[in-house]
Amino acid sequence: MRGQWGNKLQLSLFGESHGEAVGVVIDGLPAGIALDMEAIAFDLARRSPGRDPTATQRREPDAVRVLSGLYRGKTTGAPLCGMINNVGARSQDYEALLTVMRPGHADYTGWVKYKGFNDPRGGGHFSGRLTAPLVFAGAVARQALANKGISVGAHIQSIHTVRDDLLDDAEVSAEALDALRAKRFPLLDPSVEQAMRDEIERARASGDSVGGVVACAAVGVPAGWGEPFFGSVESVLAGLLFSIPAVKGVSFGGGFGLTTKLGSEANDPFLIDGEEIRTTSNHHGGILGGITSGMPITVRVGLKPTPSIASTQRTVDLRTRQPAELNVGGRHDPCIVPRAVPVVESAVLLGLLSLALEVDGR
Amino acid sequence: MRGQWGNKLQLSLFGESHGEAVGVVIDGLPAGIALDMEAIAFDLARRSPGRDPTATQRREPDAVRVLSGLYRGKTTGAPLCGMINNVGARSQDYEALLTVMRPGHADYTGWVKYKGFNDPRGGGHFSGRLTAPLVFAGAVARQALANKGISVGAHIQSIHTVRDDLLDDAEVSAEALDALRAKRFPLLDPSVEQAMRDEIERARASGDSVGGVVACAAVGVPAGWGEPFFGSVESVLAGLLFSIPAVKGVSFGGGFGLTTKLGSEANDPFLIDGEEIRTTSNHHGGILGGITSGMPITVRVGLKPTPSIASTQRTVDLRTRQPAELNVGGRHDPCIVPRAVPVVESAVLLGLLSLALEVDGR
Amino acid sequence: MRGQWGNKLQLSLFGESHGEAVGVVIDGLPAGIALDMEAIAFDLARRSPGRDPTATQRREPDAVRVLSGLYRGKTTGAPLCGMINNVGARSQDYEALLTVMRPGHADYTGWVKYKGFNDPRGGGHFSGRLTAPLVFAGAVARQALANKGISVGAHIQSIHTVRDDLLDDAEVSAEALDALRAKRFPLLDPSVEQAMRDEIERARASGDSVGGVVACAAVGVPAGWGEPFFGSVESVLAGLLFSIPAVKGVSFGGGFGLTTKLGSEANDPFLIDGEEIRTTSNHHGGILGGITSGMPITVRVGLKPTPSIASTQRTVDLRTRQPAELNVGGRHDPCIVPRAVPVVESAVLLGLLSLALEVDGR
Amino acid sequence: MRGQWGNKLQLSLFGESHGEAVGVVIDGLPAGIALDMEAIAFDLARRSPGRDPTATQRREPDAVRVLSGLYRGKTTGAPLCGMINNVGARSQDYEALLTVMRPGHADYTGWVKYKGFNDPRGGGHFSGRLTAPLVFAGAVARQALANKGISVGAHIQSIHTVRDDLLDDAEVSAEALDALRAKRFPLLDPSVEQAMRDEIERARASGDSVGGVVACAAVGVPAGWGEPFFGSVESVLAGLLFSIPAVKGVSFGGGFGLTTKLGSEANDPFLIDGEEIRTTSNHHGGILGGITSGMPITVRVGLKPTPSIASTQRTVDLRTRQPAELNVGGRHDPCIVPRAVPVVESAVLLGLLSLALEVDGR
């Protein structure tokens, strides 16, 4: 619960948007993983703002300092703490929000929960900035999973109403996932890129925002991971994915689309493929009865439009308990979907590494 | 993980479809809750097959024996174990399946995970029968939450392509939820009942099956429950909901629909309503930043069509590792959505009671 | 916490002394362990009263019904529930105690914690009767550990002031542990048996009680299990051992005796023994830095004299909040140390199986 | 497990002796606690070496940087990370030990567990240096508990064979505990101080070391905290106390001494004292049936002599797998007992705060 998660692999997330640092302690990592710090920096850069014209122009140099758990470039098996200093935060942009609650943000709920003691600057601990250490942890997990032959990648399935539905749940490959990761605006169908960028630009121009869907896949996961019921692979991954700010929906394989199919259409027939047992289609998204089937794991994540918008909004001032109008200053992403891609991947990577460690211990 | 779940409230689920019993140990319940055993039996009956012509004709008399944790009709605070004996299971219907894997079921993944030692009769521990003790636990949680002024109810939002979209996320009331609970086929829009029943009957007649969506709401939950990130209310509830067999999608509030809205449409303005702060709309489904806002919590759950169908299916025989054809005998539900309604409610009830106990201790 | 324990191996204990049943759900067991039910019954008989003249004459036929998790005599990997019905409980012996608190018992603390709603009959959930399912779970763990070459045994190190100090922490063998297990009154030094029995008989004759120390050892545990700090082997085992009613002290290896040794005496030199690295002495009790060394794990457990005594005691009546005198009726053990031997073993067995599963996954 | 601990209150410990930093993330703290950083520094100074002639002359300036969870001097309720930079570590002193295992240390067990990848410098993650962030966390917990009227203090009960047995388990007061905390060498019986110091000096002069016992008490804890069985107060506290390096024994109240008492001597009679119910004696150490009784909680902790000694020791070289002789250089404490006093207090403080939060939520 709270900032801590896990069982065999454990995460402890800390920090505030405008505090001294954000970071994460990762416990339970296998010893002896050689960490490629450049690959980690690459994943962090994918999440960083300012990388692409669609994102906010604030720059957050997300350089991670590894404080522990690493010796001569390899994990030691002891807890690994990665810390990212906060620099250049412009708190004054947010001061006006202290008691005038931003709609769609955690200002009100955090204020109630923490009885007014929470750090309100830039969203404090609720800030999307906390996804930076999550991506760091995910990048570490990616290297541990690569040693087991597992690849995870994601692409933008939709921005507002523009869609890229080319992900084939049954045939996705490690190569395709790697290719996506190299792209600034990861799509399987390049023909929709301009339309998606136009949606974002239109939102920015009107001081508004748009959301979208990220589709993520993992290949190379063997059959037999997970648990029936409470420890189902869906439960583990959804628990992590719903930790990401702005996520309001999660589905596996055919997802909600299966609800309009017949059983005879939705069932995936088994077949023998050389030595392996697999299914001809993959409506089950690689998970049956909570347990991996060996087919690609596919998951879709719906992100609401970022609540930070420029237009005047109706709200309440907590101090006066009177209606108020709010005009949020500062620079904001009109669309966080592209930056959310590595965050979604990280949640899946961390969930899978956790499941792996449950099975083979270390 | 596994058959156990929880932190302050803990569940330990056990049993197999054709074993001696199924049951659950509930730990962390507050002491002194007077249990209304008739209300519990009522919820169990809602889940039972044979209650409605749409369901299988098997009869499972789900009488619960409370083995512990209850004294003079009230919870003692010690672990409460509820056991339901299995009677009348017809194992012979399933014997043919032992090595010929049913598509869409956990036969293959369970066999890999447990190295062939799992109980294969009727799906064993993977059986939907395990949702009976879950509903028992949910019914106990319902009574604990009623003492706190919280009501949870659900309705059928869709069966195959027939929809009832009348749930108003912002205006749902405890009375409406109670009224739903009294119905055999819980709908807000009675005009679609016949069309839904026709879908189910058509599936039964063709030896096929259909799925659907259950929409669930909780009213009376105060603001301030839950946690940012890993312990978000969405994470807690989704973790439980994805434990339910056949669930492939979960969304909160506006869910995936928010991905095609603008931020200015999706944000819910705050207003002062007497002494209370609330929002005019409820696209956020009662949860902002992982924490309850005081608005109704609304969640949609997508259930795939039940994989047990009568038509011949292609699969593999695990013993011979050769292709095989499968004709499943036995009596099966052409649609489990109506029976899933109290199961979805139970997952939400248990998640909310757990969150409540985190906040106020006991 | 509460009645649940664990991580990779999880226990959920339930029941009351005079309720319908006591039991335990064991989750996370490896699949495919053939359970020898006679060996399990043997361990339960060792804990049962009435087996030896030193114990109470009440008879508790501790026949376990396995409700789940077992198929064709082997564990399935699903949660295994063992239930023991309570028969022949004579509640009337205890009725007088309902508001007059027994010194040394949990009557008062349980009443405060559970606000008077706890089941008071025979100590309710606090009863030593709950150690019966613990011994069942330990007996299951014993069989899982035997497959890994690990033996656990214990003996009576002291009853009141009579001592058997023959346990050699460095040289204890599996054979010696097995021999102890076959004895009704397990001692390494048979010459003190009569003196110990005399202590117990003297206590019984005077309506009093005596305590003692149980020394337990595990051999065959490989080096490298456990964790530094919070997951230290000492932390795991002590957490379980202090769950046993009447335990007030736990020590490992040289224990408190090391506090009067010099470092040069307490350090155990390493040596090469064939292919193996071991230590010449074993003051560290098989655990260094929280992690197993491959040497025998040795632990001593101090049990206070059972608080149920016949003499008149001063106490308070909770109803009247006035001083009261108490004369406890019923039949009680003048010494629970012999019956505690398999309970201590069980705590160690369960802790070690949990540690084993953390290392090798299943 | 591992570097993480807890449930409602959670700790995540990280760092190595000669790495960049050591630290801890504390999650679940109530919001709004004003942190007195001087009081925290005072507790850290009590643990620091170089404070007293009995300790090593190395100086570790344990200045804590709070990276998160604190805003305008008060806890926010979000995870609080405290980091202590390592400065002045002299790694060269330890290089020779890399493959020649120090007896009594975790060199061998850590090497096996982490397959040789652990940081060996200064004991790495196994170092007593990790108790610095534990004391930081304990000092934070002390302030949270002070708000609830709870005080925790400890004294040196013995060094080698010299004893101070003046702690009265039934009559210890908050004032006495506060007075102990102000002392450099905390004793109730000042007449034994010189003899204790002589023991330490004698050990130092001969290149040897001595251990001892720390006795700790908590007053002001209300009745009704804790759980029967696995979540017993003894289990929670012992689990934390056995996390402290060098601890080999833990006992509560009368502890092992109760094993030589009769039941009629060991039982603590209840009496009415004004409005309160208490006991006349406190052999139960404030805990009955795993639950607090309202009497002072008393616990004794046995620490082995520090294994770092100057004399030549027999051991094995892991590289050559040949016998070796070892002469440890560097400066070492001949006795860590005085420095362990605030560490023992911290474990008790953290355990009690965790129990408190379980009861009243926040």
Side-chain angles (χ1 to χ4, degrees), chain D residues 14 38 60 111 118 127 129 142 151 157 170 175 179 243 246 271 284 308 322 327 336 343:
Chain D
F14 63 87
E38 279 191 42
E60 304 175 11
W111 179 84
N118 54 314
S127 166
R129 174 116 185 94
R142 190 191 298 279
S151 295
Q157 177 166 358
E175 294 68 34
S243 303
L271 84 162
H284 69 287
S308 295
Q322 293 296 317
N327 288 286
I336 55 149
V343 183

Side-chain angles (χ1 to χ4, degrees), chain B residues 1-4 7-8 10 13 16 20 27 65 67 69 71 76 79 83 113-115 120-121 362, chain C residues 2-4 7-8 10 13 16 20 27 65 67-69 71 76 79 83 113-115 120 362:
Chain B
M1 297 273 165
R2 259 144 289 158
Q4 300 208 353
N7 199 28
K8 184 83 189 167
Q10 295 182 304
L13 206 60
E16 283 85 27
E20 186 166 346
D27 202 355
R65 272 168 66 200
L67 300 180
Y71 179 61
T76 63
M83 184 181 79
K113 175 175 175 61
Y114 298 116
K115 307 186 186 84
R121 298 168 301 162
R362 45 173 91 179
Chain C
R2 260 144 288 156
Q4 301 208 353
N7 200 27
K8 184 81 189 168
Q10 295 182 304
L13 206 59
E16 283 85 28
E20 185 165 346
D27 201 357
R65 273 168 66 201
L67 299 182
S68 65
Y71 180 62
T76 62
M83 183 182 79
K113 176 176 174 62
Y114 298 116
K115 307 187 186 83
R362 47 173 91 179

Side-chain angles (χ1 to χ4, degrees), chain B residues 1-5 7-16 19-22 25-29 31-33 65-72 74-81 83 85 95 98 112-115 117-121 125 362, chain C residues 1-5 7-16 19-22 25-29 31-33 65-72 74-81 83 85 95 98 112-115 117-121 125 362:
Chain B
M1 297 273 165
R2 259 144 289 158
Q4 300 208 353
W5 176 87
N7 199 28
K8 184 83 189 167
L9 180 74
Q10 295 182 304
L11 303 177
S12 185
L13 206 60
F14 63 87
E16 283 85 27
E20 186 166 346
V22 295
V25 183
I26 315 170
D27 202 355
L29 282 176
I33 303 173
R65 272 168 66 200
V66 175
L67 300 180
S68 65
L70 198 68
Y71 179 61
R72 296 181 174 171
K74 290 185 178 156
T75 57
T76 63
L80 190 150
C81 179
M83 184 181 79
N85 278 304
E95 285 300 317
L98 295 188
V112 173
K113 175 175 175 61
Y114 298 116
K115 307 186 186 84
F117 291 109
N118 55 313
D119 180 346
R121 298 168 301 162
H125 184 59
R362 45 173 91 179
Chain C
M1 295 277 165
R2 260 144 288 156
Q4 301 208 353
W5 176 88
N7 200 27
K8 184 81 189 168
L9 181 73
Q10 295 182 304
L11 303 177
S12 186
L13 206 59
F14 64 86
E16 283 85 28
E20 185 165 346
V22 295
V25 183
I26 316 169
D27 201 357
L29 281 176
I33 303 173
R65 273 168 66 201
V66 175
L67 299 182
S68 65
L70 198 69
Y71 180 62
R72 295 181 174 170
K74 290 185 178 154
T75 58
T76 62
L80 190 150
C81 179
M83 183 182 79
N85 279 304
E95 286 300 318
L98 295 187
V112 173
K113 176 176 174 62
Y114 298 116
K115 307 187 186 83
F117 292 109
N118 55 313
D119 180 346
R121 298 168 300 163
H125 183 60
R362 47 173 91 179

Side-chain angles (χ1 to χ4, degrees), chain A residues 237-285:
Chain A
L237 296 184
L240 283 163
L241 289 163
F242 275 118
S243 304
I244 303 172
V247 170
K248 295 305 270 189
V250 169
S251 72
F252 294 88
F256 282 94
L258 290 175
T259 66
T260 57
K261 284 201 167 6
L262 294 171
S264 55
E265 299 164 332
N267 281 355
D268 300 305
F270 288 103
L271 83 162
I272 290 278
D273 182 10
E275 289 300 294
E276 270 184 274
I277 291 171
R278 43 167 295 166
T279 55
T280 55
S281 50
N282 187 21
H283 298 115
H284 69 287

Side-chain angles (χ1 to χ4, degrees), chain C residues 46-51 54-56 58 60 62 128-129 131 135 156 333 335-344:
Chain C
R46 294 167 68 212
R47 194 212 70 93
S48 277
R51 188 176 60 96
T54 59
T56 163
R58 265 183 308 137
E60 305 174 10
D62 288 338
R129 175 115 184 96
T131 59
V135 168
I156 302 170
D333 282 336
C335 182
I336 55 150
V337 177
R339 291 177 59 198
V341 169
V343 183
V344 167

Side-chain angles (χ1 to χ4, degrees), chain C residues 142-172:
Chain C
R142 191 190 297 279
Q143 301 190 16
L145 287 170
N147 295 345
K148 298 170 189 279
I150 294 168
S151 295
V152 171
H155 83 113
I156 302 170
Q157 177 165 358
S158 69
I159 299 278
H160 203 220
T161 58
V162 184
R163 302 182 62 86
D164 167 1
D165 285 320
L166 289 193
L167 180 66
D168 181 333
D169 292 57
E171 298 296 340
V172 59

